[in-house]
């Protein structure tokens, strides 16, 4: 019971999940003497999810977007970090079960985020590549690097297409940003005129079931993102749904097919509630229904914040968007309410302040929707860069990620460059080019 967590007379707040919401809450309670904070996470680091796509395309190293939890809290003795998987909650016992043993709580906060939603499509679950954790982003990068290596040696155009072409499903910010970076990578990072492999053969497809990209954004942003992606050579297919994927062929709802081994799934998320809650509090997309104080309906000591929570406001009848800002704001607000409760003061209802949405497309372009202003292009990209840097924990981390990013930006240095084999002697080059152009001719006929 309570793996080495000291017993004190402070109220114990157990926070499950060190994402945007859980981390904010833990930081804001860390200096309060009234509480003992227990922060539980599956990994010993916080992951900055909005930059997964940079890791997947080898623009940033994984450690640039991972922040060790114990470094975030320094010497703070009031925060007890345990790295384990929480398997369920027993509300009657005021305890959660973890792989380290049970932990009791006075207050429990679920900040467990969301997972990829494959909508129960078994073939896609087995064969598609998700990007909902840093390990999945690294797996994606490794797959792409290996594909380029393998493409050097295959005999047929069909095999080469299968290895090099990429189909991304989902025209939300993740799909749009990933396609933009893949296209930019094809244009700037991968070697031009490389004799053994023509990177122009790499086709990138973005499949979106809706009528526009970036669904919740303004029409200007939707139109600009489409224009920017098409300008970078991404094949965007709107009003199209991926129906099946057997590891080689992607089949769409209109019967058309695409040949690729690489289907990247960015088409939705489902919330990650803890097992053991009453079924009636679990709503659409697995989100846990909470009131405006983040209390799970029917409980005064169990809370949910961020992607896992469904809090309806007049302006947001179906809950807040599953993005970083609601999670951060709810974490901050709940910390204040805990202080109100413990001092027998009136807690305050949460109101989401929509600070706007943005997405970047390649190097130097973005679309930004602020509540009173919408703009696109390079200035939007600078805004996107500034906002993302400011969301990163700690000034040192911000500086380090900025320098790392800029170094890559300016020099186009990238591990993809290093991985490509050295050039062939001249004679072989001519033979290879002839072989490639023959194959291209065949494929066109
Ligand atoms: C690829 C990608 C790009 C994105 N881009 C943007 C963007 O540009 N802007 C934006 O605002 N949002 C973006 N988002 C969404 C944003 O990252 C999420 O909305 C945000 O992370 C939600 O925060 P959270 O605190 O609710 O949960 P999360 O940040 O998901 O954190 C949940 C934490 O809980 C832990 N956990 C879960 N279950 C358990 C368990 N049983 N036991 C122990 N630990 C557990 C997880 O390991 C994780 O650390 C993006 C998301 C992805 C995947």
């Amino acid at each position: 019971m309570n793996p080495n967590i000291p017993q004190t007379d402070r109220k114990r707040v157990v926070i499950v999940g060190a994402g945007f919401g859980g981390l904010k809450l833990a930081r804001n309670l860390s200096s309060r003497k009234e509480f003992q904070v227990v922060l539980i996470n599956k990994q010993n680091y916080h992951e900055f999810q909005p930059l997964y796509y940079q890791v997947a395309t080898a623009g940033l190293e994984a450690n640039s977007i991972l922040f060790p939890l114990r470094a975030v809290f320094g010497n703070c003795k009031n925060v007890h970090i345990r790295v384990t998987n929480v398997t369920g909650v027993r509300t009657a016992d005021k305890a959660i079960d973890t792989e380290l043993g049970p932990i009791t709580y006075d207050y429990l906060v679920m900040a467990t985020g969301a997972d990829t939603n494959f909508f129960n499509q078994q073939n896609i679950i087995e064969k598609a590549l998700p990007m909902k954790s840093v390990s999945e982003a690294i797996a994606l990068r490794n797959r792409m690097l290996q594909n380029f290596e393998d493409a050097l040696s295959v005999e047929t155009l069909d095999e080469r297409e299968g290895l090099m072409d990429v189909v991304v499903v989902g025209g939300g910010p993740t799909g749009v940003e990933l396609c933009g970076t893949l296209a930019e990578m094809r244009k700037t990072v991968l070697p031009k005129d490389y004799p053994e492999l023509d990177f122009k053969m790499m086709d990138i497809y973005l499949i979106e079931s809706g009528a526009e990209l970036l669904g919740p954004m303004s029409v200007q942003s939707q139109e600009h993102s489409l224009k920017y992606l098409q300008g970078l050579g991404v094949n965007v297919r709107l009003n199209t749904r991926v129906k099946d994927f057997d590891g080689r062929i992607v089949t769409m709802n209109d019967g058309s097919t695409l040949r690729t081994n690489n289907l990247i799934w960015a088409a939705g998320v489902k919330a990650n509630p803890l097992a053991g809650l009453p079924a009636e509090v679990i709503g659409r997309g697995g989100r846990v229904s909470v009131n405006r104080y983040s209390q799970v309906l029917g409980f005064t000591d169990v809370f949910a914040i961020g992607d896992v929570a469904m809090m309806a406001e007049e302006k947001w009848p179906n809950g807040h968007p599953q993005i970083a800002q609601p999670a951060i704001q709810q974490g901050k607000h709940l910390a204040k309410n805990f202080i109100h409760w413990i001092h027998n003061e009136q807690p305050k209802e949460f109101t989401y302040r929509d600070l706007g949405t943005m997405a970047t497309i390649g190097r130097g372009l973005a679309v930004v929707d602020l509540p009173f202003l919408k703009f696109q292009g390079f200035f939007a990209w600078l805004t996107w860069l500034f906002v993302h840097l400011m969301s990163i924990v700690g000034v040192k981390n911000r500086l380090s990620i900025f320098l790392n990013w800029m170094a890559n930006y300016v020099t186009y240095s990238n591990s993809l460059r290093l991985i490509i084999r050295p050039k062939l002697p001249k004679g072989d080059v001519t033979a290879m080019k002839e072989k490639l152009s023959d194959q291209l001719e065949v494929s066109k006929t």
Side-chain angles (χ1 to χ4, degrees):
M1 175 82 88
N2 295 323
N4 273 341
I5 300 164
Q7 211 56 48
T8 66
D9 52 7
R10 298 174 179 197
K11 291 284 181 199
R12 180 180 290 164
V13 181
V14 173
I15 304 168
V16 185
F20 284 104
L23 196 66
K24 187 72 189 172
L25 173 63
R27 289 180 91 198
N28 286 18
L29 287 182
S30 62
S31 58
R32 301 297 307 199
K33 294 197 173 57
E34 303 92 324
F35 301 101
Q36 180 192 53
V37 179
V38 177
L39 179 60
I40 305 175
N41 201 48
K42 283 185 191 167
Q43 308 82 11
N44 71 348
Y45 47 78
H46 164 75
E47 303 188 17
F48 193 82
Q49 298 183 17
L51 291 179
Y52 283 161
Y53 79 95
Q54 284 279 342
V55 173
T57 51
L60 281 174
E61 289 307 321
N63 60 4
S64 299
I65 64 155
L66 303 179
F67 305 102
L69 295 176
R70 292 191 176 83
V72 171
F73 289 95
N75 293 327
C76 178
K77 294 197 174 66
N78 196 29
V79 179
H80 303 272
I81 294 164
R82 292 293 178 271
V83 176
T84 184
N85 181 31
V86 177
T87 51
V89 54
R90 284 179 280 125
T91 51
D93 302 331
K94 286 176 86 78
I96 53 168
D97 290 312
T98 81
E99 287 169 3
L100 297 173
I103 297 177
T104 53
Y105 60 79
D106 292 301
Y107 300 111
L108 171 67
V109 183
M110 262 179 292
T112 42
D115 265 340
T116 305
N117 194 351
F118 293 101
F119 303 100
N120 299 323
Q121 302 175 88
Q122 198 52 38
N123 277 352
I124 291 175
I125 295 173
E126 284 167 21
K127 305 272 175 19
L129 299 157
M131 199 178 60
K132 194 71 182 76
S133 68
V134 78
S135 40
E136 287 170 353
I138 293 171
L140 197 53
R141 181 182 79 166
N142 291 348
R143 160 83 87 102
M144 303 240 307
L145 297 179
Q146 190 57 48
N147 279 351
F148 292 141
E149 290 294 353
D150 292 348
L152 289 164
S153 321
V154 292
E155 296 286 324
T156 67
L157 188 66
D158 174 73
E159 286 174 289
R160 189 168 289 131
E161 244 177 22
L163 288 164
M164 293 182 71
D165 290 358
V166 180
V167 177
V168 177
V169 190
T174 304
V176 166
E177 291 186 345
L178 182 62
C179 283
T181 318
L182 285 170
E184 202 68 69
M185 181 186 87
R186 176 180 58 183
K187 193 170 114 193
T188 53
V189 177
L190 298 172
K192 290 184 190 63
D193 300 326
Y194 188 70
E196 291 186 74
L197 200 58
D198 183 356
F199 284 100
K200 289 202 273 310
M201 287 174 63
M202 177 185 177
D203 286 327
I204 302 162
Y205 296 89
L206 178 59
I207 313 293
E208 163 58 38
S209 60
E212 62 280 307
L213 298 176
L214 301 175
M217 292 191 78
S218 64
V219 175
Q220 294 106 288
S221 290
Q222 292 169 350
E223 287 173 358
H224 275 82
S225 57
L226 179 64
K227 190 177 83 182
Y228 292 156
L229 282 178
Q230 287 173 335
L232 283 166
V234 176
N235 303 291
V236 181
R237 292 201 188 165
L238 300 172
N239 298 308
T240 309
R241 195 177 284 275
V242 167
K243 226 177 68 185
D244 200 9
F245 177 53
D246 64 2
R248 290 186 75 253
I249 304 286
V250 188
T251 308
M252 260 58 71
N253 59 343
D254 58 9
S256 61
T257 58
L258 287 169
R259 167 78 176 102
T260 183
N261 301 354
N262 315 299
L263 182 79
I264 302 175
W265 193 259
V269 292
K270 62 169 189 282
N272 215 355
L274 291 181
L277 289 173
E280 56 272 20
V281 302
I282 312 288
R284 210 164 137 224
R287 292 171 94 177
V288 179
S289 301
V290 297
N291 62 19
R292 297 278 293 276
Y293 305 100
S294 294
Q295 286 164 315
V296 175
L297 298 189
F299 295 88
T300 52
D301 55 355
V302 183
F303 301 78
I305 57 174
D307 277 4
V308 74
M310 213 298 288
M311 182 195 288
E313 279 187 53
E314 204 178 321
K315 194 171 163 210
W316 308 95
N318 298 319
H320 303 118
Q322 285 168 296
I323 55 174
Q325 269 307 316
I328 294 170
Q329 291 179 27
Q330 285 171 1
K332 195 172 161 190
H333 190 84
L334 185 55
K336 284 188 188 153
N337 272 348
F338 274 133
I339 296 162
H340 288 312
W341 272 309
I342 207 141
H343 293 291
N344 293 320
E345 293 161 5
Q346 192 58 34
K348 293 202 169 78
E349 286 194 338
F350 175 80
T351 302
Y352 175 47
R353 227 163 48 111
D354 183 6
L355 300 178
T357 5
M358 49 187 77
T360 176
I361 299 127
R363 281 167 193 255
L365 290 173
V367 292
V368 173
D369 284 2
L370 300 180
F372 304 106
L373 182 66
K374 300 176 189 0
F375 52 104
Q376 300 83 27
F378 183 67
F379 184 63
W381 180 78
L382 287 178
T383 310
W384 174 90
L385 184 67
F386 176 76
V387 167
H388 278 70
L389 282 174
M390 293 317 285
S391 320
I392 287 165
V393 200
V395 178
K396 256 200 296 185
N397 290 332
R398 275 175 215 157
L399 193 63
S400 126
I401 202 166
F402 178 69
L403 293 176
N404 196 338
W405 217 335
M406 285 303 116
N408 276 345
Y409 188 86
V410 173
T411 62
Y412 293 134
S413 75
N414 185 308
S415 48
L416 282 173
R417 281 206 149 177
L418 309 179
I419 209 103
I420 303 294
R421 289 175 189 161
K423 290 187 174 185
L424 283 179
K426 225 174 169 145
D428 294 350
V429 174
T430 321
M432 177 59 76
K433 278 190 168 168
E434 278 168 8
K435 195 174 165 195
L436 273 176
S437 61
D438 286 352
Q439 286 179 348
L440 273 174
E441 285 309 314
V442 171
S443 77
K444 278 179 197 154
T445 52

